[in-house]
Amino acid sequence: MRMTHYFWVFAGLLIPALGAAAWTGLSGAESHLTIGLISSVLAVGTHSLLIIFMIVSGRVLREAVRVRKLSQTFLDELNVFFTDRRAYPAAGLASAFIVVAAVLGPGNRSFGIHPSVHILIAVGALVYNLYALSLESRALLENQRLLDRASIELDAADARGEGPVAEPSPGVVSPMPWGPTLA
């Protein structure tokens, strides 16, 4: 499966989950807290998936440029994602927005905040998350096309008998490999 398929599966689950959270919130259903929590976790996971895919694809392309003498233009094109595209910051902002909405849900009991604050922020988070998903989807499609072009070029180099020109870098070995992962 391609990274876009994974993302679309998560997004396909997220959209109805956000709709269900909104519906149960507006109707005052008891299940709103559970559905809202599940939706917010799914939203953060979906947006984090975009960030992870971009980091991993950047690492793969960087290694291909270094080890296989792939054209530097592939990295230059990937860097456009971080400078010109809005999807990367949108993913972080959408995650933060949905978390704020989730935290303010019980805010009227915990912090004495009027329930309308949660409603306004939750509606804003819903709209912004849908907007962010559209940006992220387009960015992932462009990134997938870039990876496909790199794959075609690497396959052509293999067919010509051109092998690696350097050893792959082993990466940095952390003394606590699980520490950053758990954090």
Side-chain angles (χ1 to χ4, degrees), residues 83-103:
T83 57
D84 294 342
R85 303 284 189 270
R86 294 173 295 181
Y88 194 72
L93 189 56
S95 293
F97 209 172
I98 203 82
V99 167
V100 169
V103 168

Side-chain angles (χ1 to χ4, degrees), residues 5 13 16 28 37 40 52 61 64 66 73 111 113 126 131 159 165 175 183:
H5 296 137
L13 294 171
L37 179 61
S40 56
I52 290 168
L61 278 176
R66 192 181 74 71
T73 59
F111 309 117
I113 297 172
L126 170 70
Y131 169 71
V165 294

Side-chain angles (χ1 to χ4, degrees), residues 2 4-5 8 10 12 17 54 56 59 64 84 95 123 151 162:
R2 295 171 167 266
T4 51
H5 296 137
W8 288 334
F10 273 76
M54 296 314 296
V56 169
R59 174 67 184 202
D84 294 342
S95 293
V123 168
S151 177
E162 299 171 3

Side-chain angles (χ1 to χ4, degrees), residues 2-4 7-8 49-62 73-82 85 87-88 135-151:
R2 295 171 167 266
M3 64 184 173
T4 51
F7 180 79
W8 288 334
L49 200 57
L50 169 92
I51 295 167
I52 290 168
F53 283 150
M54 296 314 296
I55 290 170
V56 169
S57 64
R59 174 67 184 202
V60 167
L61 278 176
R62 187 172 58 242
T73 59
F74 286 104
L75 278 182
D76 296 339
E77 287 182 49
L78 184 68
N79 288 335
V80 167
F81 175 80
F82 293 103
R85 303 284 189 270
Y88 194 72
L135 291 177
E136 293 165 355
S137 185
R138 281 192 300 263
L140 277 175
L141 280 172
E142 290 176 28
N143 190 49
Q144 186 65 59
R145 284 193 280 277
L146 177 65
L147 291 175
D148 289 344
R149 285 193 357 251
S151 177

